[in-house]
Amino acid sequence: VKDIADNHKYAPESAAAVAAAMRAGVDNECNGETLGDTAGLETRYRDALNRDLITEADVDQSLVRLFTARYRNGDLPGLAGAPKALPTSVVGAPEHRRLALAAAERSMVLLKNDGILPLKPGVKLAVIGPLGDATRVLRGNYSSPLSGAPVSVLEGLKTALGASQVTLVPFGESVTDGDRVPTSALLTPDGKPGLLARYYNPTTPMPAQYARGTREKLVAAAKYQAQPVVTRIEPDVGDRNLDLARVTDVHRTEWTGFLVPPESGTYRVGLSGSGGTLTLDGKMISDRRKTRWNDLPGMTTLKLEGGRRYAIRAEGSGIDLVWKRVSDAPSAELRRAAAAADVLVAVVGLTSDLEAEETGVTVPGFSGGDKTTLDLPADQIAMLEQAKATGKPIVLVTMNGSPINLAWAKDNAAAVLEAWYPGETGGTAAANILTGRTNPSGRLPLTFYRSVADLPPFGDYAMKGRTYRYFAGTPVYPFGHGLSYTKFGYAPLTVTPARGGAENGLRVTTRLTNQGDRPGEEVAQLYLDFPDRPGTPRIALRGFQRVALRPGEARSVTFDLSPRDLSSVALDGARSVAAGTYRVTVGAGQPGTGVAGQTASFTARQSAELPK
């Protein structure tokens, strides 16, 4: 509502913004004021109701949907027959880990493979790049750092191949640094795993609601009680206070104990989040009291001795203790490790801290959450060139939440696996695919361009050149692309129009066969090529199905297309099925990209205008 009225000016004032949002199906509002208990936010909703911009039925509908979701999730256990509230102990439960792993494996996309994958047993790997041992990168935006235990690509490969077969090559300092310090590297003051946490409430209770613009000043001026209301051992530094009824919303937390590095070396240590401080052996090494919540972590580079106990003290709330082992001579370490390795696994990309919403981050390639280039960070590009110079084959694993320029990788890497931000089991999923335990089956849900120069200006809302449907250039990797370790074949299509003609819908059927010697899943994609009329896309995905087949197994695959599936939008905004000849293709990707598939044609008459 605030964005609609105050920022984007879509509505003239806040009550009209309420009506626009609710009628579009938006049931709850989320911004800094709603999260900060700002007083008076209900006024605009009351105004909208009093002015008949919305009705009580509209309000009831939103409330029913909101409370139904809470009811089903066990968030209203006091109601008769309601599901039980889920305890925090279910986080990381085995069945949830299995689901997370399956989701990660199915989403990863094998973009290139010259035959080096799956990796052969006994292969010696050197894992290079800033994200090889990273765990923060596994999570995207708006995700909890308190999810299940994260598995890096390094750990996944060690588990799959054996620790002796995999060597980590530390990277230099990078904008992607900042992984949560694990409990295994933390001890309480009396030597137990974790840290001692103390929670302090304000001496004077804070208001239930704050007048607009006053909360930050009141919180900054708050004084806290001398004695903690709760003292307990916690696994690390993090926001775990929601299960503590005695701790108020505004509070101060203090974590004390020891940081114990597993090995000697150069580390970057600090905090992410905002509103806290960190000292190590009595020296301030991270001060986040004036930072934004989504700024990059604030870290200090230190020489640390493996096994030594370093006294740490973190204070504040909304902070996480983070670190990164880095190298003082990454190029020399890369050359040394490559000499003893058969294959280099380069794990590169971005983090959701860089490509985030409304950040204050301005570094090469990024400005306030917006990307200014599709290229990888310069230090990663330089590392890849050094890796190529060693002569060892490179298997590239990329982690990112938006398209990046993979032209270099397409020309120089032996294989490329797009892993995205794959979640807590991402390293296991990547290792399973690289070693062949899992057949890759993901497909690109967007186009990978070479440069921002391939894209229309951001402020140009015309569709020309935008998305795979209207892009006339040659992408590095097209929408829908993805490889497999097995081979699938498609039988000729059977196209059956609905009664009265294809403009009323049609059925498309093919037979899909696993022609290889490995079980696998194929994502059969159906694309339409439309009659030539202004405004129609050059091509459009109108259906897809994921099919699991054993070697030699075949199965019929059927798509039922409605008039809306067959429709397109003319320049005047009218949606209809255009008269003329269509081409329909079912295959492993877009037609014309060299993948397996079959194409057929059909004709349709002009339909009546369809609802928008």
Side-chain angles (χ1 to χ4, degrees):
V1 171
K2 180 176 176 59
D3 271 342
I4 292 173
D6 298 346
N7 298 334
H8 301 310
K9 312 297 183 182
Y10 174 77
E13 37 77 31
S14 58
V18 165
M22 292 185 66
R23 288 176 178 173
V26 178
D27 293 329
N28 63 333
E29 187 178 354
C30 178
N31 59 55
E33 290 185 341
T34 63
L35 297 173
D37 297 321
T38 302
L41 296 183
E42 73 282 359
T43 301
R44 51 199 179 198
Y45 291 86
R46 185 177 293 111
D47 288 347
L49 185 62
N50 291 339
R51 291 163 52 188
D52 295 327
L53 300 178
I54 59 174
T55 66
E56 288 190 12
D58 293 328
V59 176
D60 289 344
Q61 182 182 52
S62 289
L63 291 175
V64 166
R65 288 195 293 239
L66 287 169
F67 280 91
T68 297
R70 293 183 62 185
Y71 179 87
R72 290 175 174 171
N73 282 313
D75 196 32
L76 299 172
L79 296 180
K84 293 182 179 179
L86 294 176
T88 56
S89 60
V90 303
V91 175
E95 61 270 27
H96 298 167
R97 298 282 285 185
R98 288 191 292 270
L99 180 60
L101 178 60
E105 290 176 340
R106 289 182 170 187
S107 68
M108 292 185 182
V109 185
L110 183 61
L111 297 175
K112 179 184 178 181
N113 183 21
D114 68 0
I116 196 170
L117 298 180
L119 295 169
K120 296 176 175 58
V123 66
K124 287 190 173 295
L125 304 180
V127 177
I128 64 175
L131 303 180
D133 61 342
T135 54
R136 170 62 185 95
V137 71
L138 301 175
R139 297 187 294 106
N141 297 117
Y142 292 92
S143 60
S144 172
L146 305 181
S147 57
V151 181
S152 67
V153 173
L154 174 71
E155 290 305 313
L157 288 170
K158 284 184 174 182
T159 299
L161 296 173
S164 63
Q165 301 300 111
V166 183
T167 299
L168 173 67
V169 182
F171 197 68
E173 295 187 13
S174 169
V175 294
T176 62
D177 292 347
D179 297 321
R180 196 178 187 86
V181 177
T183 305
S184 60
L186 299 171
L187 292 176
T188 64
D190 58 356
K192 298 175 182 176
L195 294 172
L196 184 65
R198 298 183 178 93
Y199 290 87
Y200 300 84
N201 285 340
T203 54
T204 302
M206 305 298 284
Q209 290 189 318
Y210 300 83
R212 181 168 290 176
T214 64
R215 187 180 191 278
E216 285 191 10
K217 293 180 180 179
L218 288 172
V219 172
K223 304 297 182 183
Y224 294 91
Q225 298 170 358
Q227 298 300 318
V229 292
V230 173
T231 299
R232 66 178 183 180
I233 295 175
E234 295 186 347
D236 52 22
V237 175
D239 273 341
R240 290 184 169 84
N241 61 85
L242 293 180
D243 64 340
L244 300 175
R246 296 174 60 195
V247 177
T248 59
D249 285 348
V250 176
H251 60 272
R252 181 177 69 85
T253 313
E254 174 188 281
W255 294 269
T256 56
F258 298 100
L259 176 69
V260 187
E263 55 186 335
S264 300
T266 303
Y267 291 80
R268 302 183 73 196
V269 184
L271 297 174
S272 63
S274 64
T277 60
L278 173 67
T279 62
L280 185 142
D281 281 351
K283 180 181 178 181
M284 179 82 73
I285 62 171
S286 186
D287 187 346
R288 306 289 289 175
R289 287 173 292 187
K290 295 183 179 180
T291 61
R292 292 162 54 108
W293 67 272
N294 56 355
D295 283 348
L296 294 181
M299 294 182 284
T300 298
T301 302
L302 305 165
K303 294 283 188 180
L304 300 180
E305 181 182 336
R308 177 180 167 183
R309 296 185 177 187
Y310 295 87
I312 59 172
R313 178 191 186 97
E315 292 187 59
S317 61
I319 54 175
D320 296 311
L321 177 63
V322 297
W323 69 351
K324 181 71 173 182
R325 169 81 189 281
V326 296
S327 172
D328 297 325
S331 296
E333 291 203 41
L334 190 157
R335 289 192 297 270
R336 186 163 51 250
D342 301 314
V343 176
L344 305 181
V345 177
V347 191
V348 299
L350 311 173
T351 71
S352 60
D353 291 328
L354 291 170
E355 44 182 358
E357 178 188 10
E358 298 178 347
T359 75
V361 176
T362 299
V363 297
F366 297 89
S367 178
D370 292 331
K371 295 172 70 171
T372 59
T373 179
L374 300 185
D375 294 337
L376 289 168
D379 54 357
Q380 297 183 27
I381 295 174
M383 178 211 66
L384 290 174
E385 291 288 2
Q386 294 166 9
K388 179 187 175 184
T390 68
K392 296 298 176 72
I394 300 171
V395 172
L396 194 72
V397 179
T398 56
M399 291 185 165
N400 43 282
S402 61
I404 54 178
N405 176 18
L406 291 177
W408 186 95
K410 188 175 184 178
D411 293 339
N412 295 282
V416 181
L417 178 67
E418 174 55 72
W420 313 109
Y421 299 138
E424 62 193 47
T425 60
T428 302
N432 285 349
I433 291 174
L434 295 179
T435 59
R437 296 185 179 189
T438 299
N439 183 66
S441 60
R443 299 294 183 266
L444 285 184
L446 37 73
T447 303
F448 273 44
Y449 304 96
R450 185 178 300 270
S451 166
V452 292
D454 292 336
L455 301 171
F458 191 77
D460 180 0
Y461 281 63
M463 289 305 298
K464 182 179 179 181
R466 195 174 296 282
T467 79
Y468 77 97
R469 295 179 300 157
Y470 295 90
F471 182 61
T474 302
V476 178
Y477 288 110
F479 174 95
H481 176 70
L483 304 178
S484 171
Y485 293 150
T486 189
K487 180 181 179 182
F488 295 94
Y490 291 79
L493 305 183
T494 299
V495 179
T496 307
R499 180 177 298 178
E503 62 274 13
N504 297 317
L506 78 161
R507 171 169 289 184
V508 180
T509 302
T510 185
R511 191 162 182 81
L512 179 63
T513 303
N514 184 345
Q515 300 172 338
D517 57 2
R518 300 172 62 97
E521 294 182 347
E522 170 74 330
V523 178
Q525 305 166 47
L526 184 149
Y527 291 90
L528 274 186
D529 189 337
F530 298 83
D532 187 16
R533 76 168 179 177
T536 56
R538 67 173 191 87
I539 198 170
L541 179 72
R542 285 296 190 257
F544 63 91
Q545 295 184 36
R546 180 181 288 270
V547 183
L549 296 173
R550 298 184 300 274
E553 184 181 4
R555 188 177 305 169
S556 292
V557 178
T558 298
F559 295 90
D560 288 315
L561 302 182
S562 68
R564 187 171 185 86
D565 293 327
L566 302 174
S567 69
S568 55
V569 179
L571 294 179
D572 62 0
R575 176 180 288 277
S576 66
V577 178
T581 300
Y582 292 72
R583 284 192 307 158
V584 58
T585 300
V586 179
Q590 289 188 48
T593 57
V595 299
Q598 295 285 346
T599 298
S601 298
F602 65 91
T603 59
R605 295 187 296 268
Q606 178 70 40
S607 77
E609 185 173 344
L610 299 174
K612 292 183 179 180

Short mmCIF file of all heavy atoms in Angstrom, two decimals, residues 491-526:
data_model
loop_
_atom_site.label_atom_id
_atom_site.label_comp_id
_atom_site.label_asym_id
_atom_site.label_seq_id
_atom_site.Cartn_x
_atom_site.Cartn_y
_atom_site.Cartn_z
N ALA A 491 8.51 -39.23 -30.22
CA ALA A 491 7.80 -39.72 -31.40
C ALA A 491 7.05 -38.57 -32.06
O ALA A 491 6.79 -37.54 -31.43
CB ALA A 491 6.82 -40.82 -31.00
N PRO A 492 6.69 -38.71 -33.35
CA PRO A 492 5.92 -37.65 -34.03
C PRO A 492 4.66 -37.29 -33.25
O PRO A 492 4.04 -38.13 -32.59
CB PRO A 492 5.59 -38.29 -35.39
CG PRO A 492 6.71 -39.25 -35.62
CD PRO A 492 7.04 -39.81 -34.27
N LEU A 493 4.27 -36.02 -33.36
CA LEU A 493 3.15 -35.50 -32.59
C LEU A 493 1.81 -35.88 -33.23
O LEU A 493 1.68 -35.93 -34.46
CB LEU A 493 3.23 -33.97 -32.50
CG LEU A 493 4.52 -33.37 -31.94
CD1 LEU A 493 4.38 -31.85 -31.85
CD2 LEU A 493 4.86 -33.96 -30.58
N THR A 494 0.85 -36.11 -32.36
CA THR A 494 -0.55 -36.23 -32.78
C THR A 494 -1.29 -35.01 -32.27
O THR A 494 -1.31 -34.76 -31.06
CB THR A 494 -1.19 -37.50 -32.22
OG1 THR A 494 -0.48 -38.64 -32.70
CG2 THR A 494 -2.65 -37.59 -32.64
N VAL A 495 -1.86 -34.22 -33.18
CA VAL A 495 -2.56 -32.99 -32.82
C VAL A 495 -4.05 -33.18 -33.09
O VAL A 495 -4.45 -33.42 -34.24
CB VAL A 495 -2.01 -31.79 -33.61
CG1 VAL A 495 -2.77 -30.52 -33.24
CG2 VAL A 495 -0.52 -31.62 -33.34
N THR A 496 -4.86 -33.07 -32.05
CA THR A 496 -6.30 -33.30 -32.17
C THR A 496 -7.06 -32.04 -31.76
O THR A 496 -7.12 -31.71 -30.56
CB THR A 496 -6.74 -34.47 -31.29
OG1 THR A 496 -5.94 -35.62 -31.57
CG2 THR A 496 -8.21 -34.79 -31.51
N PRO A 497 -7.63 -31.30 -32.72
CA PRO A 497 -8.39 -30.09 -32.37
C PRO A 497 -9.66 -30.43 -31.60
O PRO A 497 -10.23 -31.52 -31.74
CB PRO A 497 -8.71 -29.46 -33.72
CG PRO A 497 -7.76 -30.08 -34.69
CD PRO A 497 -7.51 -31.46 -34.18
N ALA A 498 -10.11 -29.49 -30.79
CA ALA A 498 -11.38 -29.66 -30.08
C ALA A 498 -12.54 -29.54 -31.06
O ALA A 498 -12.38 -29.10 -32.21
CB ALA A 498 -11.50 -28.60 -28.98
N ARG A 499 -13.72 -29.95 -30.61
CA ARG A 499 -14.90 -29.85 -31.46
C ARG A 499 -15.12 -28.39 -31.87
O ARG A 499 -15.08 -27.49 -31.05
CB ARG A 499 -16.13 -30.36 -30.72
CG ARG A 499 -17.42 -30.29 -31.53
CD ARG A 499 -18.58 -30.87 -30.76
NE ARG A 499 -18.37 -32.29 -30.47
CZ ARG A 499 -19.23 -33.04 -29.77
NH1 ARG A 499 -20.34 -32.48 -29.28
NH2 ARG A 499 -18.97 -34.32 -29.55
N GLY A 500 -15.32 -28.17 -33.14
CA GLY A 500 -15.54 -26.82 -33.64
C GLY A 500 -14.29 -26.16 -34.16
O GLY A 500 -14.34 -25.08 -34.74
N GLY A 501 -13.11 -26.77 -33.95
CA GLY A 501 -11.88 -26.20 -34.48
C GLY A 501 -10.85 -25.92 -33.41
O GLY A 501 -11.14 -25.85 -32.21
N ALA A 502 -9.60 -25.75 -33.85
CA ALA A 502 -8.48 -25.57 -32.92
C ALA A 502 -8.62 -24.32 -32.08
O ALA A 502 -8.07 -24.25 -30.98
CB ALA A 502 -7.17 -25.54 -33.70
N GLU A 503 -9.35 -23.31 -32.59
CA GLU A 503 -9.51 -22.09 -31.79
C GLU A 503 -10.26 -22.36 -30.49
O GLU A 503 -10.24 -21.53 -29.57
CB GLU A 503 -10.24 -21.02 -32.61
CG GLU A 503 -11.63 -21.39 -33.04
CD GLU A 503 -11.66 -22.16 -34.35
OE1 GLU A 503 -10.58 -22.63 -34.81
OE2 GLU A 503 -12.76 -22.30 -34.92
N ASN A 504 -10.89 -23.53 -30.38
CA ASN A 504 -11.57 -23.92 -29.15
C ASN A 504 -10.69 -24.79 -28.25
O ASN A 504 -11.14 -25.25 -27.20
CB ASN A 504 -12.86 -24.68 -29.49
CG ASN A 504 -13.85 -23.81 -30.23
OD1 ASN A 504 -14.04 -22.65 -29.87
ND2 ASN A 504 -14.46 -24.35 -31.28
N GLY A 505 -9.45 -25.02 -28.68
CA GLY A 505 -8.52 -25.83 -27.91
C GLY A 505 -8.06 -27.04 -28.71
O GLY A 505 -8.62 -27.35 -29.78
N LEU A 506 -7.03 -27.71 -28.23
CA LEU A 506 -6.57 -28.92 -28.90
C LEU A 506 -5.73 -29.76 -27.96
O LEU A 506 -5.27 -29.28 -26.91
CB LEU A 506 -5.80 -28.61 -30.17
CG LEU A 506 -4.34 -28.14 -30.09
CD1 LEU A 506 -3.67 -28.32 -31.43
CD2 LEU A 506 -4.26 -26.68 -29.69
N ARG A 507 -5.53 -31.02 -28.33
CA ARG A 507 -4.72 -31.96 -27.56
C ARG A 507 -3.50 -32.34 -28.40
O ARG A 507 -3.61 -32.63 -29.59
CB ARG A 507 -5.53 -33.20 -27.21
CG ARG A 507 -4.71 -34.34 -26.60
CD ARG A 507 -5.60 -35.43 -26.04
NE ARG A 507 -6.27 -34.97 -24.82
CZ ARG A 507 -7.06 -35.75 -24.08
NH1 ARG A 507 -7.30 -37.00 -24.45
NH2 ARG A 507 -7.62 -35.27 -22.98
N VAL A 508 -2.32 -32.32 -27.75
CA VAL A 508 -1.06 -32.68 -28.41
C VAL A 508 -0.47 -33.87 -27.65
O VAL A 508 -0.30 -33.81 -26.43
CB VAL A 508 -0.07 -31.51 -28.42
CG1 VAL A 508 1.23 -31.91 -29.11
CG2 VAL A 508 -0.68 -30.29 -29.09
N THR A 509 -0.16 -34.94 -28.38
CA THR A 509 0.36 -36.15 -27.75
C THR A 509 1.63 -36.61 -28.46
O THR A 509 1.74 -36.51 -29.68
CB THR A 509 -0.68 -37.29 -27.81
OG1 THR A 509 -1.88 -36.85 -27.16
CG2 THR A 509 -0.18 -38.54 -27.12
N THR A 510 2.59 -37.09 -27.67
CA THR A 510 3.79 -37.71 -28.21
C THR A 510 4.15 -38.89 -27.32
O THR A 510 3.54 -39.11 -26.27
CB THR A 510 4.96 -36.71 -28.26
OG1 THR A 510 6.09 -37.33 -28.90
CG2 THR A 510 5.38 -36.28 -26.87
N ARG A 511 5.12 -39.66 -27.76
CA ARG A 511 5.62 -40.77 -26.94
C ARG A 511 7.08 -40.51 -26.65
O ARG A 511 7.89 -40.31 -27.56
CB ARG A 511 5.44 -42.11 -27.66
CG ARG A 511 5.68 -43.32 -26.76
CD ARG A 511 5.09 -44.59 -27.35
NE ARG A 511 5.26 -45.75 -26.49
CZ ARG A 511 4.49 -46.03 -25.45
NH1 ARG A 511 3.48 -45.22 -25.14
NH2 ARG A 511 4.70 -47.11 -24.71
N LEU A 512 7.40 -40.49 -25.37
CA LEU A 512 8.75 -40.16 -24.91
C LEU A 512 9.47 -41.44 -24.49
O LEU A 512 8.91 -42.24 -23.74
CB LEU A 512 8.66 -39.19 -23.73
CG LEU A 512 9.96 -38.73 -23.08
CD1 LEU A 512 10.82 -37.96 -24.07
CD2 LEU A 512 9.65 -37.86 -21.85
N THR A 513 10.70 -41.62 -24.98
CA THR A 513 11.46 -42.84 -24.70
C THR A 513 12.83 -42.49 -24.15
O THR A 513 13.51 -41.60 -24.67
CB THR A 513 11.65 -43.68 -25.99
OG1 THR A 513 10.37 -43.98 -26.54
CG2 THR A 513 12.38 -44.97 -25.68
N ASN A 514 13.24 -43.19 -23.10
CA ASN A 514 14.60 -43.08 -22.60
C ASN A 514 15.47 -44.00 -23.43
O ASN A 514 15.44 -45.23 -23.27
CB ASN A 514 14.66 -43.46 -21.12
CG ASN A 514 16.05 -43.27 -20.52
OD1 ASN A 514 17.04 -43.11 -21.23
ND2 ASN A 514 16.13 -43.29 -19.19
N GLN A 515 16.25 -43.42 -24.33
CA GLN A 515 17.07 -44.20 -25.27
C GLN A 515 18.47 -44.46 -24.74
O GLN A 515 19.28 -45.08 -25.43
CB GLN A 515 17.14 -43.46 -26.60
CG GLN A 515 15.78 -43.25 -27.26
CD GLN A 515 15.85 -42.36 -28.48
OE1 GLN A 515 16.80 -41.57 -28.64
NE2 GLN A 515 14.86 -42.47 -29.36
N GLY A 516 18.75 -43.99 -23.53
CA GLY A 516 20.08 -44.17 -22.97
C GLY A 516 20.17 -45.36 -22.03
O GLY A 516 19.25 -46.19 -21.95
N ASP A 517 21.29 -45.43 -21.30
CA ASP A 517 21.52 -46.57 -20.41
C ASP A 517 21.47 -46.17 -18.94
O ASP A 517 21.92 -46.91 -18.07
CB ASP A 517 22.87 -47.22 -20.72
CG ASP A 517 24.03 -46.23 -20.62
OD1 ASP A 517 23.80 -45.05 -20.26
OD2 ASP A 517 25.17 -46.64 -20.91
N ARG A 518 20.91 -44.98 -18.66
CA ARG A 518 20.78 -44.52 -17.28
C ARG A 518 19.34 -44.09 -17.03
O ARG A 518 18.69 -43.53 -17.92
CB ARG A 518 21.68 -43.30 -17.01
CG ARG A 518 23.16 -43.54 -17.21
CD ARG A 518 23.91 -42.22 -17.10
NE ARG A 518 23.75 -41.63 -15.79
CZ ARG A 518 24.64 -41.75 -14.80
NH1 ARG A 518 25.75 -42.45 -14.99
NH2 ARG A 518 24.43 -41.20 -13.63
N PRO A 519 18.81 -44.32 -15.83
CA PRO A 519 17.50 -43.76 -15.51
C PRO A 519 17.61 -42.24 -15.40
O PRO A 519 18.67 -41.70 -15.06
CB PRO A 519 17.15 -44.39 -14.16
CG PRO A 519 18.47 -44.75 -13.56
CD PRO A 519 19.38 -45.09 -14.70
N GLY A 520 16.52 -41.56 -15.69
CA GLY A 520 16.57 -40.11 -15.60
C GLY A 520 15.20 -39.49 -15.79
O GLY A 520 14.23 -40.16 -16.15
N GLU A 521 15.14 -38.19 -15.51
CA GLU A 521 13.92 -37.43 -15.70
C GLU A 521 14.11 -36.47 -16.86
O GLU A 521 15.14 -35.80 -16.96
CB GLU A 521 13.56 -36.64 -14.43
CG GLU A 521 13.20 -37.52 -13.25
CD GLU A 521 12.80 -36.72 -12.03
OE1 GLU A 521 13.06 -35.49 -12.01
OE2 GLU A 521 12.24 -37.30 -11.08
N GLU A 522 13.12 -36.41 -17.73
CA GLU A 522 13.12 -35.48 -18.85
C GLU A 522 12.03 -34.44 -18.62
O GLU A 522 10.94 -34.77 -18.13
CB GLU A 522 12.86 -36.22 -20.16
CG GLU A 522 12.60 -35.34 -21.37
CD GLU A 522 13.84 -34.65 -21.91
OE1 GLU A 522 14.76 -34.37 -21.11
OE2 GLU A 522 13.90 -34.39 -23.12
N VAL A 523 12.32 -33.19 -18.95
CA VAL A 523 11.31 -32.14 -18.89
C VAL A 523 10.86 -31.86 -20.32
O VAL A 523 11.56 -31.18 -21.08
CB VAL A 523 11.84 -30.87 -18.21
CG1 VAL A 523 10.77 -29.79 -18.20
CG2 VAL A 523 12.29 -31.18 -16.78
N ALA A 524 9.72 -32.44 -20.69
CA ALA A 524 9.17 -32.24 -22.03
C ALA A 524 8.49 -30.88 -22.08
O ALA A 524 7.61 -30.59 -21.27
CB ALA A 524 8.18 -33.35 -22.36
N GLN A 525 8.90 -30.04 -23.04
CA GLN A 525 8.41 -28.67 -23.13
C GLN A 525 7.62 -28.48 -24.42
O GLN A 525 8.05 -28.91 -25.49
CB GLN A 525 9.59 -27.70 -23.10
CG GLN A 525 10.50 -27.87 -21.89
CD GLN A 525 11.81 -27.14 -22.05
OE1 GLN A 525 11.85 -25.97 -22.44
NE2 GLN A 525 12.91 -27.82 -21.73
N LEU A 526 6.48 -27.81 -24.31
CA LEU A 526 5.65 -27.52 -25.48
C LEU A 526 5.71 -26.03 -25.80
O LEU A 526 5.40 -25.20 -24.94
CB LEU A 526 4.20 -27.94 -25.25
CG LEU A 526 3.26 -27.79 -26.45
CD1 LEU A 526 2.17 -28.86 -26.42
CD2 LEU A 526 2.60 -26.40 -26.50
#
